[in-house]
Amino acid sequence: MNTLLHMQGLTKEYGKEKAVDNVTFSLNKNTSTALIGPNGAGKTTTLSMLAGLLKQTTGSIELDVGIKGDIRREIGFLPQYPQFYSWLTALEFTEMAAKLSGVDAKIAKVEAEKTLEFVGLGEAKKKKTGTFSGGMKQRLGLAQAIVHKPALLLLDEPVSALDPIGRREIMNLLKELQAKTTILYSTHILNDAEEMTDQLLFLRKGKLVEQGSMEEVREKYANPQYKVYFTNSEEASQFIETSPYPARQEGPIVFIEIGEGKLQMNEVLRVLGNSNFSLSKVERATASLEEIFLQVVNEG
Ligand code: ATP
């Protein structure tokens, strides 16, 4: 079986409100999945149920684990706002996390050292966590989540609070982990998801409203267009008035819909070439993941 986790009809109710509403999905082994949604969509609640921190109201979670009965060993969790004991060193903290996750006490320190090295905190391992910067804390948070080599790694907004350099560093670490771990992470920073994600899950008001691979989602929402760069807005407007194709204008740029008939670039160039317009560039444009996100979460 290639499936590591399957959740079926998962629901979490708070009074009359459903924070998570009948959500079903699977995670295949050694794949990476992004849980995408705006604030309040139910991402944290979903991850917390998977991590065993919250009990679902209804629905089931099945995890295909090797070591039966000891879920701690199979799941690693990085909460959105990880807490550390400020008086412990990074090494002491990570060693403690290793032991709490079931690593044999005799090897916990060595494993903690290796993990801190991996996340780039080798030189800071003897420093107290209270002195750490935001980026260092996020690396330490990742270290405590992976020190016991879990089969499933759950990360709640692992990069949202970081600057672009910190984000890149954490995403690079996750890419390295991807080969040997199943990763489920929540995010609303879509550019990060673009790089390392096998499956996208879109949540809106607790419901799973779209899912698929990057290609599938793009295919469905990308609405491919040709982007024609005129040298000025006036020419772009003139073209729009006479355009044989559905088109819209943004300043000197005109977007021509490729549509179901799969309008060919050659055809567009021929029409443009027969006119007196001066063009600088024509290219095929697809919606960014950011634009797709807005489409998906604003629908309905
Ligand atoms: P964010 O990006 O802001 O962290 P999220 O997608 O993680 O959002 P959740 O934190 O899972 O969203 O919250 C989903 C919904 O459940 C929200 O409407 C929230 O107000 C509600 N909720 C979460 N926890 C509780 C609670 N303990 N009691 C009552 N309502 C809650």
Side-chain angles (χ1 to χ4, degrees), residues 24-45:
T24 296
F25 65 79
S26 297
L27 302 178
N28 284 339
K29 284 179 186 157
N30 299 348
T31 59
S32 168
T33 299
L35 198 54
I36 297 167
N39 293 133
K43 304 182 297 293
T44 299
T45 309

Side-chain angles (χ1 to χ4, degrees), residues 14 17-20 37-46 80 156-157 188 203:
Y14 288 111
E17 194 195 348
K18 288 182 177 168
V20 173
N39 293 133
K43 304 182 297 293
T44 299
T45 309
T46 303
Q80 189 168 7
D156 196 359
E157 303 272 0
H188 55 255
L203 282 183

Side-chain angles (χ1 to χ4, degrees), residues 23-27 33-37 184 197 199-203 208-212:
V23 168
T24 296
F25 65 79
S26 297
L27 302 178
T33 299
L35 198 54
I36 297 167
L184 175 65
T197 309
Q199 181 179 218
L200 300 168
L201 304 170
F202 288 86
L203 282 183
L208 187 62
V209 288
E210 191 57 76
Q211 72 185 105

